[in-house]
Amino acid sequence: MDPSRAFLKDVKRVVVKVGTAVVTRPDGKLALGRLGSICEQVKALLEDCIEVIFVTSGAVGVGRQKLRHQRLMNSSFLDLQKPQIELDGKPCAAVGQSGLMALYDSLFSQDSTGIFWDNDSLAALLALELKADLLILLSDVEGLYTGPPSDPRSKLIHTYLKEKHDDMVTFGEKSRVGRGGMTAKVYAAWNAASAGIPVIISSGYTADSLQKVIRGDHVGTLFHKDAHLWVPVKETSARQMAIAARDASRRLQALSSSVRQKILLDVADALEKHQDLILVENEIDKRLALQSGTAKALIDRLSLKPGKIAHLAESLRRLALMKEPIGEVINKTEVAEGLILEKTTSSLGVILVVFESRPDALVQIASLAIRSGNGLLLKGGKEATHSNAILHKVITEALPKKVGGDLIGLVTSRDEIPDLLKLADVIDLVIPRGSNRLVSEIKESTKIPVLGHADGVCHVYVDKAADIEKASRIVLDSKVDYPAACNAMETLLVHKDLVHGEGLQKLTFALQSAGVILYGGAKVAEVLKTPKAAQFHHEYSSLACTVEIVDDVHAAIEHIHEHGSGHTDCIVTEDQETANLFLNHVDSAAVFHNASTRFCDGARFGLGAEVGISTSRIHARGPVGVEGLLTTRWLLRGTGQVVDGDRGVLYLHKDLPVESEPFVRNSVNAIMDVPIITNGEVSQASVHNVSLTKIPISNNTNGCVFSNVVASPT
């Protein structure tokens, strides 16, 4: 059920109003089939013990058709040659009312009763008078649109907010056969909703439209007095969202380490406090995924459980207690006498992450952004819409006001992604988590650096010198522990010498006993009579894998390089020389010896959490934790030195010991202002006793802060 429609489960009395366009056909005659369908739906609601008050339009259309027919029958040939005056609505309504009522009386006479009126406003007044729980206005369109429904640029408004949509909506002509139209419906709906009666305008052309509304499906346009709590009044553009995240990140960086730690602890507490609400929203996503035929492997990734929430909260607490990442002095150099240079860690700025339908990923990514002092923009998979929305709400509401919820923005539409990818001046890094195709599309669409996370085609190679019992445990865990994970084994490579003994049989028997479906390469398919694998580069993300025989470790390495994704690969062997050969030559982000591929994880590596597992070769590779979301900057402290053509300066470039205590950034902000970076240059700064001219720098992620130094352009 759509969360904004949760009140529908308590509905016991409904007013249903059908418009003239629903009652009649385009030629003005009664739409008997459609009316019959609606009456059947009303009867179904009555059988569910829901009281229905049925309000109908259509008398004008029916009367006009009847009077036209009578006028035609009573007119002479000469009369028909004269211009025909359009019949007035009032006499048409008077004539048509009795016929329409007789029709409804016939349709409802068997097992139901009803009261009938004509007019949208009357339906609203009736709903108020009878204290109905819901008013349904059926029309010939799906609901209220931002423009003419026939215009492909028009969008359906699912929840109406007067402050937002009143000036946006363009109303067309009145009803083609009645006296009202959408303007009348909106007016009536708004009045009823303001008085406390929820209203939904939906299509009367759908066979089960009433049932869809009562079920709480995401259909039609909802009018509700609390709509302002669900719909933002003001739209935020992609640029505004990114700038707001950047500004909030700077406020976050200015806080002390202990305050930033407390923020993470508060977020962890909030997740546990709102666990029940989170699980309810997650159940909605899972139900919708099942209804749409989503694969079981994807539903498994989508699923959240009470233990998962507790695990996420605990990972946030561990992350909070880790060493302060911002402002750590990496190295310290005495450039010249009294001129000290420090290279320190620094936040990147604003990160855009496009991730798959895994709600737990949102929590991990958000926690890493907070710990590393970065602003964050998130776009999750549509299958996790409700889960992502509630998790985002819980996390941002736990942030202190001095930082603000804008630190983490949730992008709700794919249409916003192209605009965000153009913001190279505001967004500093894009991390797409998904297929190679997604990564490639994003790389081709942006000038922003991209940290790619490709497919997880992970291999386990069982060498001839392997302990088969140990190998069976590793292979089984790599595949079965969490088949949908990106670090799960997708291909098992077995040394040819294990085919004739019991090695291959034991390994495949263990997998099949656990319910794993095996697909063979050319050699295995012939030996084990398994179905042939369509291709070796395939991520099953389920209880299935490919098995193939290789001649030796060199052949295994060659196979991995040709068909793997550079994610995680493992060798199982007791021969240390062979193991070292594999470890040193396999070109993947993570290479293991005698350990399950499932260990390739930020939390298991001790990183606290991970934003993803990168298969890129620049900036960060493998599980990307806090360190992967940092860059560096230079701090130079002097005593009045000037360059002056390097005359009179004796350069020492002497390495100095680095203090164990990390540099606290907010103490610097109390002494000096961080320079303002615009278009790749430091344009101004206020520091103690220093003259600073423009210093070109390569990008917005590295900067320089000087004290007591005069700098000249290089």
Side-chain angles (χ1 to χ4, degrees):
M1 177 177 285
D2 186 321
S4 65
R5 314 287 174 97
F7 66 89
L8 291 172
K9 66 180 183 294
D10 300 321
V11 167
K12 297 299 179 186
R13 175 180 289 177
V14 179
V15 175
V16 177
K17 192 271 177 182
V18 291
T20 305
V22 177
V23 174
T24 60
R25 303 185 319 201
D27 60 4
K29 296 180 180 179
L30 285 170
L32 295 176
R34 196 179 302 134
L35 287 174
S37 172
I38 292 173
C39 290
E40 288 298 323
Q41 294 178 61
V42 170
K43 291 178 182 179
L45 295 181
L46 293 170
E47 290 172 359
D48 290 336
C49 299
I50 296 176
E51 184 180 349
V52 181
I53 298 91
F54 196 90
V55 182
T56 179
S57 294
V60 173
V62 173
R64 183 174 287 120
Q65 181 72 15
K66 188 172 183 179
L67 290 177
R68 282 175 179 170
H69 179 74
Q70 290 180 352
R71 184 169 63 180
L72 177 63
M73 297 301 296
N74 296 327
S75 298
S76 64
F77 180 76
L78 183 61
D79 291 334
L80 294 175
Q81 304 305 310
K82 299 176 182 178
Q84 300 297 305
I85 301 173
E86 186 58 50
L87 297 167
D88 183 65
K90 292 182 180 179
C92 289
V95 172
Q97 188 72 24
S98 59
L100 189 60
M101 293 296 291
L103 173 63
Y104 281 122
D105 186 56
S106 175
L107 291 172
F108 283 106
S109 61
Q110 296 181 10
D111 52 8
S112 60
T113 59
I115 308 171
F116 308 96
W117 281 273
D118 180 75
N119 193 279
D120 295 297
S121 297
L122 181 58
L125 290 172
L126 182 62
L128 290 170
E129 182 65 26
L130 297 176
K131 296 181 173 59
D133 302 309
L134 176 68
L135 169 61
I136 303 174
L137 301 178
L138 295 181
S139 181
D140 58 342
V141 292
E142 291 296 326
L144 181 62
Y145 286 80
T146 55
S150 57
D151 188 338
R153 295 170 298 180
S154 298
K155 295 183 179 180
L156 179 65
I157 299 171
H158 286 289
T159 304
Y160 179 83
L161 191 64
K162 187 175 178 64
E163 297 88 341
K164 177 178 179 180
H165 296 120
D166 200 34
D167 296 330
M168 180 190 302
V169 177
T170 302
F171 294 106
E173 298 178 353
K174 290 186 176 182
S175 172
R176 55 178 170 76
V177 283
R179 302 176 66 191
M182 189 57 74
T183 306
K185 286 179 174 56
V186 171
Y187 178 79
W190 172 249
N191 286 335
S194 299
I197 306 295
V199 183
I200 294 177
I201 299 177
S202 188
S203 172
Y205 282 33
T206 308
D208 58 348
S209 56
L210 293 181
Q211 275 66 37
K212 285 182 177 179
V213 169
I214 294 298
R215 279 201 309 263
D217 290 358
H218 200 54
V219 297
T221 301
L222 169 67
F223 292 73
H224 198 285
K225 65 181 179 64
D226 294 329
H228 64 282
L229 301 177
W230 311 324
V231 181
V233 177
K234 185 178 180 181
E235 293 287 354
T236 303
S237 69
R239 172 169 286 277
Q240 289 172 327
M241 185 183 295
I243 291 174
R246 182 187 63 189
D247 293 343
S249 73
R250 290 172 176 168
R251 294 193 295 271
L252 176 65
Q253 294 164 27
L255 301 177
S256 67
S257 177
S258 60
V259 173
R260 283 198 302 273
Q261 285 180 327
K262 186 178 184 305
I263 292 173
L264 276 178
L265 297 175
D266 290 343
V267 172
D269 292 342
L271 288 172
E272 291 182 332
K273 178 181 178 182
H274 297 287
Q275 174 178 280
D276 292 343
L277 181 59
I278 293 169
L279 294 179
V280 167
E281 297 300 307
N282 184 244
E283 283 298 322
I284 295 173
D285 284 330
K286 289 194 291 184
R287 179 173 61 80
L288 293 175
L290 281 170
Q291 291 175 355
S292 63
T294 302
K296 184 179 183 301
L298 295 179
I299 295 177
D300 289 342
R301 288 190 176 192
L302 182 63
S303 180
L304 288 175
K305 297 177 182 178
K308 188 68 173 178
I309 301 296
H311 176 75
L312 288 169
E314 185 58 33
S315 69
L316 262 67
R317 294 185 179 105
R318 288 199 300 270
L319 183 64
L321 299 177
M322 291 176 66
K323 183 179 68 172
E324 171 58 44
I326 305 174
E328 179 183 2
V329 180
I330 300 172
N331 52 54
K332 189 173 183 180
T333 305
E334 185 178 9
V335 178
E337 186 177 356
L339 191 60
I340 308 301
L341 178 66
E342 292 178 340
K343 184 180 182 181
T344 67
T345 58
S346 175
S347 306
L348 280 171
V350 177
I351 302 168
L352 168 62
V353 182
V354 182
F355 61 102
E356 69 281 32
S357 299
R358 284 183 57 186
D360 58 314
L362 184 148
V363 179
Q364 293 189 44
I365 296 166
S367 65
L368 287 169
I370 294 170
R371 194 69 179 104
S372 59
N374 288 297
L376 183 64
L377 302 177
L378 293 164
K379 173 63 181 78
K382 63 180 180 181
E383 295 83 2
T385 298
H386 296 86
S387 305
N388 289 340
I390 188 61
L391 287 169
H392 175 260
K393 185 173 187 291
V394 169
I395 292 171
T396 53
E397 287 183 352
L399 299 176
K401 291 183 179 179
K402 53 190 168 186
V403 174
D406 291 338
L407 178 73
I408 302 171
L410 184 63
V411 182
T412 57
S413 171
R414 287 185 66 90
D415 297 338
E416 297 176 78
I417 296 298
D419 292 335
L420 288 167
L421 292 176
K422 297 175 184 176
L423 302 178
D425 60 326
V426 185
I427 298 175
D428 301 285
L429 182 67
V430 180
I431 304 178
R433 289 176 45 143
S435 65
N436 277 319
R437 180 182 175 184
L438 172 66
V439 176
S440 298
E441 287 178 351
I442 288 180
K443 283 183 176 179
E444 293 169 1
S445 306
T446 186
K447 296 180 181 179
I448 305 170
V450 177
L451 190 66
H453 172 74
D455 300 333
V457 183
C458 303
H459 298 74
V460 174
Y461 165 59
V462 180
D463 185 55
K464 65 179 180 179
D467 178 327
I468 296 302
E469 296 301 324
K470 183 187 295 183
S472 295
R473 293 195 304 272
I474 292 171
V475 167
L476 197 62
D477 184 79
S478 296
K479 179 72 260 183
V480 176
D481 182 63
Y482 187 12
C486 63
N487 57 13
M489 181 192 74
E490 303 294 2
T491 299
L492 170 63
L493 300 177
V494 181
H495 193 284
K496 65 180 181 180
D497 289 359
L498 300 179
V499 175
H500 302 296
E502 296 182 350
L504 178 62
Q505 285 74 15
K506 284 187 176 182
L507 293 170
T508 54
F509 178 76
L511 288 169
Q512 290 175 321
S513 298
V516 179
I517 301 171
L518 302 182
Y519 296 92
K523 297 176 182 178
V524 164
E526 185 177 340
V527 175
L528 299 181
K529 308 303 179 185
T530 60
K532 281 191 176 182
Q535 59 177 349
F536 283 120
H537 187 96
H538 183 71
E539 187 174 9
Y540 293 95
S541 298
S542 63
L543 285 174
C545 72
T546 301
V547 183
E548 184 56 313
I549 300 166
V550 292
D551 290 341
D552 52 24
V553 66
H554 297 285
I557 294 171
E558 184 179 342
H559 181 103
I560 291 169
H561 287 167
E562 183 176 355
H563 304 290
S565 61
H567 193 294
T568 304
D569 299 293
C570 164
I571 182 174
V572 183
T573 184
E574 299 305 307
D575 186 325
Q576 192 61 49
E577 185 177 344
T578 302
N580 289 337
L581 180 68
F582 187 91
L583 292 171
N584 293 327
H585 286 79
V586 171
D587 189 16
S588 296
V591 188
F592 297 167
H593 173 212
N594 287 350
S596 169
T597 59
R598 290 280 292 123
F599 279 107
C600 188
D601 175 84
R604 296 187 179 101
F605 277 13
L607 306 181
E610 67 179 32
V611 72
I613 298 179
S614 169
T615 55
S616 298
R617 300 172 191 276
I618 298 175
H619 174 62
R621 197 175 183 196
V624 180
V626 172
E627 289 184 2
L629 302 182
L630 298 173
T631 183
T632 57
R633 65 186 195 128
W634 299 91
L635 305 179
L636 184 65
R637 294 182 172 86
T639 56
Q641 290 87 346
V642 296
V643 174
D644 191 24
D646 290 325
R647 290 185 293 270
V649 178
L650 178 62
Y651 289 101
L652 302 176
H653 295 136
K654 176 183 176 183
D655 291 336
L656 299 176
V658 175
E659 293 85 352
S660 58
E661 284 296 318
F663 178 75
V664 182
R665 184 185 182 97
N666 68 312
S667 65
V668 172
N669 290 336
I671 301 171
M672 64 188 80
D673 294 331
V674 177
I676 299 172
I677 300 174
T678 307
N679 297 327
E681 293 184 339
V682 180
S683 56
Q684 66 180 56
S686 298
V687 293
H688 176 62
N689 196 23
V690 63
S691 170
L692 182 63
T693 55
K694 291 190 176 181
I695 307 168
I697 56 177
S698 59
N699 55 55
N700 289 359
T701 60
N702 290 324
C704 305
V705 179
F706 294 359
S707 174
N708 293 337
V709 179
V710 178
S712 301
T714 56

